[in-house]
Amino acid sequence: TIILFQYFAFVNQISTMSEEAAEPAPQERRMANIWIKPVDGVDAEALFAKIKADIVTSDPEYNLQWDEKYKIENGKIYATFTIALDADFDEEVMEVIECMEDEVAGQGIVFQTAME
């Protein structure tokens, strides 16, 4: 009985150690590629810099990250960002851009997908 008790204590200790050593699961993320059309006369480069600086999500754990690469083509800014899958990216990003109506003539989603 003592040996059996020691065995279970040992198994419990190993189980506890492996739970402590286990790393948290990586955050599930969403990637979205969007376009933004500046109002005539608004500098696209400056507008995109402002968008990246001004958009702050309602929860810091959403971890909004803008891709360094973007392009300006036919008067539109094309950019990609990632955000936590749990976040409502439309509310957290797209609606904020839409509210910049003095500088933004239009915006939309090219594609969005959950990342695995």
Side-chain angles (χ1 to χ4, degrees):
T1 329
I2 293 175
I3 293 173
L4 191 57
F5 175 78
Q6 289 175 334
Y7 171 76
F8 283 119
F10 177 72
V11 168
N12 187 36
Q13 182 181 12
I14 289 175
S15 175
T16 303
M17 288 172 51
S18 65
E19 287 175 12
E20 292 172 358
E23 293 185 28
Q27 183 183 55
E28 292 182 317
R29 313 246 334 131
R30 174 177 313 281
M31 179 183 355
N33 181 264
I34 62 173
W35 62 267
I36 305 154
K37 180 167 179 33
V39 169
D40 289 340
V42 172
D43 178 62
E45 296 274 346
L47 176 59
F48 187 55
K50 179 180 179 180
I51 289 169
K52 291 191 312 182
D54 287 359
I55 294 182
V56 178
T57 58
S58 62
D59 185 339
E61 292 198 12
Y62 289 161
N63 194 20
L64 173 64
Q65 295 178 351
W66 292 95
D67 191 335
E68 295 289 325
K69 298 177 187 173
Y70 65 97
K71 71 178 179 178
I72 299 171
E73 185 177 283
N74 298 326
K76 292 181 182 176
I77 305 164
Y78 291 89
T80 303
F81 64 86
T82 60
I83 193 167
L85 191 59
D86 292 339
D88 180 344
F89 80 95
D90 193 46
E91 183 177 299
E92 297 289 340
V93 178
M94 302 306 291
E95 288 180 11
V96 176
I97 294 171
E98 186 177 346
C99 288
M100 297 176 163
E101 56 194 26
D102 292 339
E103 297 162 290
V104 175
Q107 46 88 24
I109 301 163
V110 177
F111 76 87
Q112 62 86 22
T113 186
M115 297 169 58
E116 293 184 22

